Amino acid sequence: MAELDKIEVRDITRIERIGAHSHIRGLGLDDVLEARAVSQGMVGQKDARRAAGLVVQIVREGKIAGRCILLAGEPSTGKTAIAVGMAQALGNETPFTSMSGSEIYSLEMNKTEALSQALRKSIGVRIKEETEIIEGEVVEIQIDRPASGTGQKVGKVTIKTTDMETNYDLGNKIIECFMKEKIQAGDVITIDKASGKVSKLGRSFTRARDYDATGAQTRFVQCPEGELQKRKEVVHTVTLHEIDVINSRTHGFLALFAGDTGEIKQEVRDQINSKVMEWREEGKAEINPGVLFIDEAHMLDIECFSFLNRALESDMAPVVIMATNRGITKIRGTNYRSPHGIPIDLLDRMIIIRTVPYSAKEIKEILKIRCEEEDCQINNEALMVLGRIATETSLRYAIQSITTASLVSKRRKAAEITVEDIRKVYSLFLDEKRSSKIMKEYQDEYLFYDDSLSQAEQQAMEVETN
């Protein structure tokens, strides 16, 4: 019997997001986990990025589950950017689920069910199975089509390895696969005997001089050795949540595409957990704990925190990363105050990573990267003015001004964004501080003005606007 090989099959593809953090490519660390000044879209926050790099190493090893990390810092200090960088550093092999703390209140299910689904989306299961395949180089293909144009096609294919050559009769299904993959003589292919799936591995090196059948993207491979028919180990990577949905719905796999997965009974999850553990003991599956990222963690209430505190004790729990910009505030659902609005007993089991405000130089570098990401040309003077606006208002406001300033420059058919474009956008769109100041000046003219604010709250608003 041929030696077992491994084929990696990714069942779920991740769609790249284009948005506020689409410029992030990783954490920007070197081989010894030291943070570079500017790398992979990341700027500054060296200590936080080094700490995040260690967390990535913990996740990759997959031996430690149920850890909880808190990214804490002022607004616009790169907490979500670090989480996105961690997701990029982990790659497609590790499940990474991102959600906002406020999302659980908008879903048509109870809060603990929403958290349960998010946790199980973050746990990957690598299921192994053996399958018989035919692997070799195509020598010749003959496909006969009916003269009438209707009816089934028939054909033959000659496939060889370095040791043997065999002819196979082709059925209609395999012929359709051959035509879809555009298989021709000289291609190295695999045919799954169970499913009939045909995969093209590349062109044989012996056909390297066949210029008519090659292109710029052509990949050349060696002609396979040994037997034509082999047994290979195929690995399917899915998440626990996907297994839950398939086993709890009448439509099975199609329920994943419907979007509305609904609530899943705990009995179903218990059965799946026991089955997965059985597969792991038999060597048929591996559990790959991933990451659940919860932004705006202060929006969770005491019930959610209690549930997470218990869920983290499970052997199959993922690494949970939370982010918050709150100081000492009330825990939602109670009258108790706590750091970051998170209960003390949950904070006690957390590893806290601190983010600090960016310097003026770092803000300018971030704005420069965002201009490149949005394909906007900006001169140095405009970049300096935009950096000063970011320092006086907020980094988010300055980043949002890039797109609008680019549109203003295009309307006057300019090649780059200038200081005049920045000033025009600054006069058209208010930032939070100017808006609050105007609200304070004209608050009596607005409808439903609430004059019941305490003196302390009014003083706090004055400090913010000033």
Side-chain angles (χ1 to χ4, degrees):
M1 183 179 289
E3 187 179 354
L4 283 176
D5 298 315
K6 280 192 177 182
I7 304 174
E8 188 70 19
V9 178
R10 284 297 301 170
D11 291 335
I12 303 299
T13 56
R14 187 177 301 180
I15 300 173
E16 183 180 355
R17 294 184 301 165
I18 299 174
H21 301 97
S22 57
H23 63 285
I24 304 296
R25 304 288 183 265
L27 287 171
L29 304 176
D30 57 21
D31 294 337
V32 292
L33 299 183
E34 288 296 322
R36 302 184 184 97
V38 180
S39 180
Q40 294 183 316
M42 297 295 292
V43 179
Q45 305 294 348
K46 289 187 176 181
D47 291 339
R49 283 157 56 198
R50 278 197 293 265
L54 292 174
V55 174
V56 168
Q57 290 296 105
I58 290 174
V59 176
R60 279 177 178 163
E61 290 178 4
K63 297 177 181 177
I64 302 175
R67 292 298 175 95
C68 195
I69 294 93
L70 177 66
L71 297 170
E74 297 89 336
S76 299
T77 52
K79 297 180 291 297
T80 307
I82 289 174
V84 173
M86 292 173 70
Q88 295 286 353
L90 288 168
N92 293 335
E93 298 302 315
T94 303
F96 190 99
T97 306
S98 179
M99 67 178 295
S100 172
S102 56
E103 282 182 31
I104 64 170
Y105 304 108
S106 60
L107 299 174
E108 294 180 355
M109 62 183 74
N110 64 57
K111 294 174 286 188
T112 55
E113 174 64 20
L115 286 172
S116 294
Q117 292 192 12
L119 286 165
R120 292 176 76 83
K121 285 177 184 176
S122 309
I123 303 169
V125 182
R126 294 159 59 91
I127 303 171
K128 305 173 186 177
E129 65 175 358
E130 288 185 10
T131 183
E132 286 192 5
I133 66 167
I134 299 170
E135 184 179 57
E137 178 187 338
V138 177
V139 179
E140 184 183 5
I141 304 176
Q142 294 180 351
I143 298 176
D144 297 327
R145 295 174 175 83
S148 61
T150 59
Q152 291 191 348
K153 305 180 185 73
V154 293
K156 292 183 179 181
V157 63
T158 304
I159 303 177
K160 72 171 185 177
T161 65
T162 55
D163 300 334
M164 61 184 297
E165 182 176 313
T166 307
N167 296 322
Y168 293 96
D169 292 327
L170 299 178
N172 192 59
K173 182 180 178 182
I174 301 292
I175 290 173
E176 293 294 336
C177 292
F178 268 58
M179 295 175 68
K180 182 180 178 182
E181 296 290 332
K182 298 179 181 178
I183 304 296
Q184 57 184 326
D187 290 339
V188 178
I189 64 170
T190 61
I191 304 174
D192 190 329
K193 293 183 69 177
S195 63
K197 182 180 178 182
V198 179
S199 302
K200 185 194 292 187
L201 303 180
R203 292 284 292 175
S204 173
F205 276 113
T206 58
R207 301 297 185 106
R209 294 183 179 275
D210 190 1
Y211 300 113
D212 293 336
T214 60
Q217 303 298 323
T218 303
R219 178 190 177 195
F220 291 98
V221 296
Q222 295 286 355
C223 180
E225 300 177 352
E227 299 282 335
L228 273 167
Q229 297 191 34
K230 303 174 183 177
R231 292 187 67 83
K232 286 200 172 184
E233 189 177 83
V234 182
V235 181
H236 304 275
T237 304
V238 294
T239 66
L240 276 179
H241 175 67
E242 289 159 2
I243 301 174
D244 293 344
V245 173
I246 291 169
N247 286 275
S248 64
R249 295 290 176 268
T250 306
H251 298 291
F253 185 72
L254 294 177
L256 288 171
F257 300 96
D260 183 17
T261 58
E263 296 191 11
I264 299 170
K265 295 181 180 179
Q266 187 58 40
E267 293 81 6
V268 174
R269 290 199 175 108
D270 291 339
Q271 292 174 5
I272 290 170
N273 289 345
S274 61
K275 193 65 179 177
V276 169
M277 296 300 288
E278 182 183 323
W279 288 343
R280 185 170 70 169
E281 291 174 2
E282 294 174 357
K284 295 180 180 179
E286 294 177 1
I287 296 175
N288 184 21
V291 173
L292 170 60
F293 173 61
I294 304 176
D295 205 359
E296 300 176 353
H298 52 270
M299 293 298 294
L300 300 178
D301 60 15
I302 190 65
E303 294 178 13
C304 297
F305 287 127
S306 300
F307 176 81
L308 285 173
N309 210 0
R310 179 70 182 87
L312 288 170
E313 297 175 359
S314 170
D315 294 337
M316 291 170 44
V319 174
V320 177
I321 301 175
M322 299 185 186
T324 181
N325 56 18
R326 293 295 192 269
I328 298 175
T329 184
K330 283 185 179 180
I331 303 170
R332 188 170 177 141
T334 73
N335 292 322
Y336 297 103
R337 297 170 67 85
S338 177
H340 314 297
I342 299 173
I344 296 295
D345 55 343
L346 184 56
L347 276 174
D348 190 45
R349 67 160 63 214
M350 285 182 168
I351 302 171
I352 301 176
I353 299 175
R354 170 92 162 93
T355 58
V356 295
Y358 291 108
S359 65
K361 183 179 179 182
E362 291 169 345
I363 287 175
K364 184 179 177 182
E365 193 65 42
I366 292 170
L367 293 173
K368 185 178 179 182
I369 292 172
R370 285 302 304 179
C371 287
E372 293 175 358
E373 178 70 15
E374 298 183 22
D375 198 20
C376 299
Q377 301 296 325
I378 185 170
N379 62 32
N380 289 330
E381 291 182 4
L383 188 62
M384 289 180 64
V385 171
L386 195 61
R388 190 158 61 247
I389 289 173
T391 305
E392 294 173 357
T393 58
S394 71
L395 181 58
R396 289 192 179 101
Y397 176 78
I399 289 174
Q400 291 166 355
S401 300
I402 293 172
T403 306
T404 50
S406 176
L407 292 173
V408 171
S409 67
K410 287 178 181 177
R411 282 184 65 84
R412 59 183 186 84
K413 298 181 180 179
E416 60 182 11
I417 299 172
T418 61
V419 175
E420 289 73 19
D421 299 323
I422 300 295
R423 286 175 178 168
K424 180 72 173 177
V425 169
Y426 185 76
S427 65
L428 288 174
F429 302 100
L430 299 178
D431 59 275
E432 181 270 332
K433 289 183 180 179
R434 286 185 292 161
S435 178
S436 299
K437 188 175 181 180
I438 291 172
M439 287 287 292
K440 183 182 175 184
E441 291 177 1
Y442 298 98
Q443 58 188 358
D444 294 336
E445 299 179 18
Y446 282 87
L447 293 176
F448 306 112
Y449 165 56
D450 185 6
D451 59 354
S452 62
L453 293 177
S454 65
Q455 187 175 1
E457 290 174 328
Q458 291 178 0
Q459 290 176 353
M461 285 186 65
E462 290 177 2
V463 170
E464 288 181 1
T465 53
N466 296 329

